[in-house]
Amino acid sequence: MNDMRPQQAIPVAEVASGKGKQDENFPVGSLLLDRRHRPHVHAYYGFARAIDDIADNSLLSPEAKVARLDAMEAAVLGRFGGEAASAGELAHAVRLRASLALTGVPATTATDLIVAFRRDAVQPRTPDWDDLLLYCRYSANPVGRYLLALHGESEATAPASDALCTALQVLNHLQDCADDLATLDRCYIPQDWLAQAGLDETALRASAAGPALRRILDRLLDEVDALNRLAATLPGQVVDRRMRLEAAVIVGLSHRLATRLRREDPLAGRVKLRRNDVAGSLLGAARAWRR
């Protein structure tokens, strides 16, 4: 790891994942981004997927997950102590470390993600809304900050970017609320909201959301709507035209997914974006491209 030289080229990496494309709402290394940035974006997302897969690995104990995540952090920071992770996992960390050296993007955009995945390993429940926001602070917001830093954007974009990334994370939790509980024994719905409604997480095991649970889902969507209103200001703050278009498309998709989750039941089946959602978001974002 200490032999990595800043002038080395970073190859385009395939994003390793145990999840299929049907689980992704938004494109990784989108063709909307400048070609010169895409290898770095792939390196970042490859690392993010690798540590996500560690946290979701049902064959590992919580302690083993934390040890592997600690090893990934050591590797991306160029430190010793990476023995607990596999060679394949460490390759993602080494690749990202070289990429960060080339681009000057802060390593915290990677290590903050590890904070969230350590939490996933040891804390399968979310006590309240503030705790969910804190989780999103580490699990989602670093992604937006990474992309903006890679494009040389001002730190003034952070509030709107954070709002967008948090909204996307909450929407993803809503999409997967039943599956997360069934397959990972993990629940991101605030436990105090469930208790106030006289429910517990077993409500998520039903084939359809009852009225009380539907109100909780809508309450989460109310919070998402507020985040999306702030997120809508992001494209206008971004200087790089291609990154502005990317941001505008994702803002549009976030709004459209929130609308779908209002109308559809995530317990009855995974609520997903459709082709017309993508087409509509692209058309809406065209205005940002022409600015």
Side-chain angles (χ1 to χ4, degrees):
M1 282 179 282
N2 291 327
D3 292 332
M4 298 302 296
R5 296 184 296 276
Q7 67 268 24
Q8 287 179 304
I10 308 300
V12 174
E14 293 296 327
V15 178
S17 172
K19 300 176 182 178
K21 290 183 179 179
Q22 71 274 9
D23 298 306
E24 302 289 348
N25 288 320
F26 307 99
V28 174
S30 169
L31 293 176
L32 296 177
L33 299 179
D34 192 296
R35 184 184 298 274
R36 64 194 169 94
H37 292 314
R38 289 179 214 158
H40 300 290
V41 174
H42 278 279
Y44 182 80
Y45 274 93
F47 174 82
R49 180 58 68 210
I51 58 177
D52 189 13
D53 287 347
I54 291 170
D56 288 353
N57 190 329
S58 62
L59 300 178
L60 296 175
S61 68
E63 295 77 16
K65 291 177 182 181
V66 171
R68 286 198 182 200
L69 291 168
D70 287 348
M72 293 291 279
E73 181 178 63
V76 82
L77 293 175
R79 299 173 182 167
F80 295 107
E83 296 82 2
S86 71
E89 291 162 348
L90 291 173
H92 286 292
V94 170
R95 185 181 296 113
L96 180 58
R97 179 172 175 251
S99 172
L100 294 174
L102 278 167
T103 61
V105 175
T108 51
T109 57
T111 56
D112 278 357
L113 294 175
I114 294 175
V115 173
F117 293 129
R118 284 196 194 101
R119 170 205 155 117
D120 277 336
V122 300
Q123 183 185 324
R125 301 294 182 269
T126 302
D128 52 40
W129 172 250
D130 286 342
D131 188 68
L132 182 56
L133 287 179
L134 181 62
Y135 175 78
C136 295
R137 150 76 177 85
Y138 291 101
S139 68
N141 298 2
V143 178
R145 291 187 179 225
Y146 171 84
L147 289 170
L148 291 166
L150 181 65
H151 287 79
E153 298 295 334
S154 166
E155 291 185 5
T157 59
S161 173
D162 289 351
L164 176 59
C165 292
T166 294
L168 295 174
Q169 182 72 89
V170 175
L171 290 171
N172 184 251
H173 290 330
L174 286 170
Q175 285 177 291
D176 295 339
C177 59
D179 190 56
D180 282 342
L181 185 61
T183 63
L184 300 172
D185 188 32
R186 202 177 288 162
C187 181
Y188 296 99
I189 306 298
Q191 295 290 295
D192 63 336
W193 290 11
L194 289 169
Q196 290 164 15
L199 301 175
D200 59 28
E201 62 202 33
T202 59
L204 298 172
R205 300 188 189 277
S207 59
L213 179 58
R214 184 68 249 184
R215 285 192 291 273
I216 292 173
L217 301 182
D218 287 340
R219 184 177 176 185
L220 283 165
L221 289 168
D222 289 342
E223 297 289 352
V224 167
D225 287 346
L227 291 165
N228 274 336
R229 284 192 289 274
L230 176 55
T233 67
L234 178 61
Q237 300 174 38
V238 174
V239 175
D240 183 275
R241 291 184 72 202
R242 296 180 74 104
M243 184 63 222
R244 188 191 313 145
L245 181 60
E246 175 90 350
V249 169
I250 295 175
V251 165
L253 292 174
S254 183
H255 281 271
R256 287 172 177 268
L257 183 54
T259 299
R260 285 205 173 276
L261 282 160
R262 288 274 188 193
R263 297 172 179 170
E264 302 175 34
D265 184 351
L267 269 61
R270 196 170 195 268
V271 178
K272 297 187 292 186
L273 291 164
R274 301 177 185 174
R275 289 184 179 180
N276 63 311
D277 293 315
V278 177
S281 294
L282 281 167
L283 287 173
R287 291 189 296 270
W289 173 258
R290 291 194 294 267
R291 282 184 65 246

